[in-house]
Amino acid sequence: MGNSRLRARDLAAATPASRDRYVDLLRVASLGVVVLGHWLMAAVTAEGQVGNLLAVVPELQAVTWVFQVMPVFFFVGGFSHALAHRSRPGYADFLRARLQRLLRPTTVFAGVWGAAALLLQLTGADGGLTGVALRLVTQPLWFIGVYLAMVALTPPLLRLHERRGWGAFAALAGGALAVDVLRFAAHVPYVEFLNFALVWLAVHQLGFLRADGMIRRPAVLAAAGLAGAAGLVALGPYPLSMVGMPGEEVSNMAPPTLALLCHGLWLVGAVELLKGPGTRLVARAGVWRAVVAANGVAMTAFLWHLTAMLGVYAALLGSGRALPAPATGAWWAQVPLRFAAAGLLTAGLVAVFRRFEVPAAPGPAAIGGGPVTGGGPAAALGTTLALLGVLGLSLTGFGGLLDGHTATLIAVPVTAPAALALVLVGRLLVERAGRGTRSRRARGPGA
């Protein structure tokens, strides 16, 4: 940990004056809010069943209008991807550079949990809270799957943005509106799944607009988004909660709806209004060092945070003490202690696995003389396979490995081992494609 603190201090000191530090603050803060929200919503009973606090206390669903901040993370991603692609225009190199810190820690996480799940099932220890954990720990991987798609589609959508500006965002938003009309008015089956792309890519497109200084009236954006979301929830078939709820007929999250897109507009406008004080805050040396350190382990912490929380609950259940019923006074009194314990356990897991988030040094092929593999097409194929694999894992979980447990991914049954294989093959293709393009550059045009 001492080395990581030193590295963070060095990176913070070397930060160029031109860097938009507020964006880094937003990235860390949004993931931090997501982690805390997951910890709070995990309502575990004395019998080891895991429920959702928002279902236990429906009145709390209104707070998701502030704390459902995943749109902020995707907005920041759009900003970062625009700058990264302009500085690294080669498609394969761009994908490899952006995806390495996603796929390496993700494959390690999936591999560790897959091995643990197999051992638990072989020994018959996969019941109770452990069995629930095997199903739950992979659910947040949907976020990584969507993010992979954003990275892969950045080059064409950035070109569209450069030609059309706000028109590109309007086209994606209009598509999301059309999907909801077809879904709720015309009852067209399966059309709603298109909004996994249209809604999140529209939010991502807002990051391109920010990168080019085109969000000039954030107050108008926030007001329009808030009014739109409120009107849709009040008048339409949209639920109040901006996160998924167990057993609900319509979810704003899965698949995303126009109401969630409006929610994203309101959040983007709000964080842009806070840019001034946020920039002054992160200009402080101590704050900036903390942001740099947190950014260096953010993906590892995100991957393992549910493992940590479920580990805390397992320890409480194993201690023999009565676990208070969710949402009771005693349960709320325990929240700070559970959060502190989960934070410490997450820090321990980060200490073990953080090295997989550090970008690997270029291999021999990146320097020159190695075999040349495909460039853009191979990278695109690899990203697609990894995306499908990550989404498959988020659906299947690791329960029932020996029983052939499957989940349906785009009308195709998939198992956890098959999904993990897709991730591994996809990661290999992306990395080799990037190295191949570097190898060709190193040898020169006459090689």
Side-chain angles (χ1 to χ4, degrees):
M1 294 298 288
N3 288 338
S4 64
R5 285 196 296 269
L6 180 61
R7 184 171 180 271
R9 189 181 305 117
D10 292 341
L11 289 173
T15 302
S18 59
R19 186 177 183 90
D20 191 332
R21 301 184 183 193
Y22 182 56
V23 167
D24 296 286
L25 176 63
L26 289 178
R27 182 185 297 110
V28 168
S30 58
L31 271 189
V33 170
V34 169
V35 167
L36 293 177
H38 286 169
W39 285 353
L40 184 62
M41 287 191 295
V44 180
T45 67
E47 294 76 31
Q49 298 301 309
V50 181
N52 190 316
L53 181 65
L54 298 178
V56 179
V57 188
E59 295 80 7
L60 290 177
Q61 294 179 24
V63 304
T64 63
W65 286 50
V66 176
F67 293 108
Q68 166 48 299
V69 294
M70 196 58 82
V72 174
F73 189 89
F74 291 148
F75 163 66
V76 168
F79 175 89
S80 300
H81 295 158
L83 299 186
H85 186 257
R86 285 166 174 169
S87 65
R88 189 190 294 264
Y91 187 61
D93 273 356
F94 167 74
L95 285 183
R96 182 174 184 269
R98 301 306 294 178
L99 298 186
Q100 191 177 60
R101 286 186 62 184
L102 284 174
L103 293 180
R104 291 181 75 230
T106 300
T107 52
V108 170
F109 168 82
V112 170
W113 261 108
L118 185 60
L119 179 63
L120 289 167
Q121 189 167 1
L122 286 171
T123 58
D126 58 339
L129 183 60
T130 300
V132 175
L134 292 176
R135 297 194 303 271
L136 289 183
V137 291
T138 65
Q139 286 187 2
L141 293 182
W142 72 266
F143 144 77
I144 295 177
V146 171
Y147 203 75
L148 287 171
M150 291 177 172
V151 175
L153 292 172
T154 286
L157 289 179
L158 185 58
R159 288 194 294 271
L160 182 63
H161 155 76
E162 289 167 348
R163 289 196 298 267
R164 302 297 181 186
W166 277 98
F169 167 81
L172 290 167
L177 169 61
V179 165
D180 274 14
V181 170
L182 292 173
R183 175 186 181 184
F184 295 119
H187 306 290
V188 175
Y190 305 115
V191 70
E192 64 268 25
F193 294 105
L194 291 174
N195 268 352
F196 274 113
L198 293 169
V199 168
W200 289 127
L201 287 175
V203 174
H204 188 248
Q205 205 78 11
L206 290 170
F208 297 166
L209 292 163
R210 186 191 192 277
D212 288 341
M214 298 176 69
I215 300 180
R216 299 187 180 94
R217 297 180 179 178
V220 173
L221 193 67
L226 190 59
L232 289 169
V233 169
L235 303 175
Y238 304 95
L240 174 65
S241 176
M242 290 297 164
V243 301
M245 297 290 297
E248 63 185 352
E249 191 172 326
V250 175
S251 167
N252 281 320
M253 274 287 293
T257 64
L258 185 64
L260 183 66
L261 176 55
C262 289
H263 172 69
L265 289 174
W266 125 250
L267 284 179
V268 167
V271 298
E272 283 297 281
L273 285 171
L274 295 173
K275 181 179 178 180
T279 300
R280 289 190 293 273
L281 173 65
V282 81
R284 300 177 182 177
V287 174
W288 177 236
R289 282 197 299 270
V291 169
V292 170
N295 263 312
V297 299
M299 189 52 54
T300 304
F302 177 80
L303 286 167
W304 291 98
H305 76 280
L306 276 187
T307 301
M309 174 51 75
L310 292 169
V312 169
Y313 271 113
L316 290 172
L317 290 171
S319 69
R321 297 181 180 180
L323 196 65
T328 61
W331 186 90
W332 283 108
Q334 272 190 359
V335 166
L337 295 176
R338 290 199 303 272
F339 274 29
L344 289 173
L345 186 51
T346 301
L349 290 166
V350 166
V352 173
F353 294 109
R354 70 178 301 275
R355 64 182 180 275
F356 299 105
E357 192 169 347
V358 178
I367 300 171
V372 177
T373 58
L381 175 61
T383 304
T384 301
L385 293 178
L387 182 158
L388 294 174
V390 168
L391 292 179
L393 284 175
S394 74
L395 293 171
T396 62
F398 286 111
L401 284 182
L402 297 179
D403 303 324
H405 171 69
T406 65
T408 301
L409 176 64
I410 316 178
V412 177
V414 62
T415 64
L420 181 55
L422 287 174
V423 176
L424 291 170
V425 172
R427 173 186 160 188
L428 179 63
L429 283 173
V430 170
E431 292 191 353
R432 292 188 66 185
R435 289 172 184 155
T437 56
R438 291 185 181 189
S439 176
R440 286 191 292 274
R441 286 203 304 271
R443 289 197 299 271

